[in-house]
Amino acid sequence: MAIGKNLGTLLLGLIFALPVFADKGQQPAYIGPKQVVAVLPFANRVQNVYGSWSLGEGFAEILITELVKSGRFLIVEREVISDIVKEQELGMTGLVNQNTAAKTGQLSGAQFMIRGAITEFNDLAGGGGLTIAYSKAEAGTKSKTAYVGIDVRIVDNVTGQIYASYNAHATAKSRGVSLAAKFTESAESFKVGASGFYDTSLGQATREAIEQVIEFIVQESRNIPWQGSLIRADQAKAYINRGANTNLKIGDRLIVYAPGEPLIDPETGFNLGSDEERKCDVIVRDVRSKFSIADTSRCNGHALDRGYIVRFE
């Protein structure tokens, strides 16, 4: 059992560390503001010989890597998400200052979350459950179709409402022994190079499905306005929780909004958001790695408080 577990861990590392778009041309560099996104481990709804693998975490890691490479997103790490949840639980006890305690339901300022589920992951002819149907003697004599399916949702981080959902589905055919059969061989005989997994039909289908998911997220995120929050402010300057890590630049003009009371649906209890009041605009004068300082002289005496929202107009 220990050998099998260690082999599974090794194979996951080899597979999911590979670049998905290694054969694509270099994409133009993105220079706009980055949105802060939380990617949660994918649910694994596939029951097969890969059951002992952390497929959900593996697919999430692929997605994170490609989102970062796009240059459009700043990703909240899962370890940070865990720490934020602990802070939220502590804030609910009343043992910390409620003005600075992490708000329940919000993940370190992430604008939205990516949730996903793996619905198909097999490379046997005809689809269905993933069982080893081919012997080594049959290698090269059977044509197999790989199936990969991923359900993805973009979820509002505060209200929990779904912005958009998408089902990525890809297939690829090849001849030869199934990837499942290869994975049952000993660690000594299983050798995979930098592109080994993506040379298989299952790897090709995985590549195509992930490409579809990335395109979906990039397109849909354009409909979600970039925003940040004030850390603190006075009559001269305001500190914003976005910095060079989100491509904020000196001279950027941001509009400040005061959030109203949360609007709670009386029937469902869900947070529907809040009404907002436009206060003024501020100009970014200093950009640090993780925060920025803006000039508030154009606010004409409007009091600005911690937690106020800032957006590009």
Side-chain angles (χ1 to χ4, degrees), residues 169-291:
H169 182 268
T171 62
K173 291 185 177 181
S174 70
R175 298 180 64 84
V177 67
S178 69
L179 188 59
K182 288 183 179 183
F183 286 167
T184 63
E185 300 175 7
S186 68
E188 294 296 325
S189 62
F190 181 80
K191 305 264 185 199
V192 59
S195 60
F197 174 68
Y198 291 109
D199 287 338
T200 68
S201 58
L202 188 57
Q204 293 166 13
T206 298
R207 178 198 299 269
E208 183 178 337
I210 291 294
E211 288 176 353
Q212 294 175 25
V213 170
I214 293 295
E215 183 176 354
F216 160 71
I217 294 174
V218 169
Q219 290 296 330
E220 292 297 332
S221 66
R222 291 171 178 167
N223 300 322
I224 303 174
W226 179 97
Q227 72 178 43
S229 299
L230 296 187
I231 303 171
R232 69 170 186 262
D234 54 35
Q235 296 295 321
K237 57 188 176 181
Y239 291 82
I240 302 168
N241 68 343
R242 299 287 188 262
N245 57 351
T246 61
N247 284 355
L248 206 60
K249 296 178 175 59
I250 293 175
D252 283 344
R253 186 170 74 94
L254 302 173
I255 310 303
V256 181
Y257 297 88
E261 290 294 323
L263 299 175
I264 307 301
D265 190 316
E267 297 180 357
T268 65
F270 290 144
N271 184 345
L272 303 180
S274 65
D275 197 8
E276 297 175 349
E277 178 187 355
R278 178 169 175 159
K279 288 293 186 180
C280 60
D281 60 274
V282 297
I283 306 297
V284 176
R285 298 303 187 197
D286 188 9
V287 178
R288 310 290 176 87
S289 175
K290 297 181 179 180
F291 70 92

Side-chain angles (χ1 to χ4, degrees), residues 133-163:
Y134 306 103
S135 66
K136 293 180 183 179
E138 294 176 305
T141 65
K142 296 286 185 178
S143 176
K144 292 169 294 302
T145 301
Y147 299 83
V148 173
I150 309 172
D151 285 335
V152 179
R153 294 178 176 180
I154 299 178
V155 183
D156 185 278
N157 192 42
V158 176
T159 67
Q161 295 179 331
I162 297 173
Y163 281 122

Side-chain angles (χ1 to χ4, degrees), residues 4-16:
K5 182 177 180 181
N6 291 336
L7 177 58
T9 301
L10 172 63
L11 296 179
L12 270 180
L14 289 170
I15 291 173
F16 293 125

Side-chain angles (χ1 to χ4, degrees), residues 15-24 58-59 61-67 69 194 197-198 203-214:
I15 291 173
F16 293 125
L18 299 177
V20 175
F21 304 134
D23 60 341
K24 283 188 171 285
F59 271 64
E61 289 298 332
I62 292 179
L63 185 59
I64 288 172
T65 297
E66 296 306 321
L67 289 175
K69 285 169 58 179
F197 174 68
Y198 291 109
Q204 293 166 13
T206 298
R207 178 198 299 269
E208 183 178 337
I210 291 294
E211 288 176 353
Q212 294 175 25
V213 170
I214 293 295

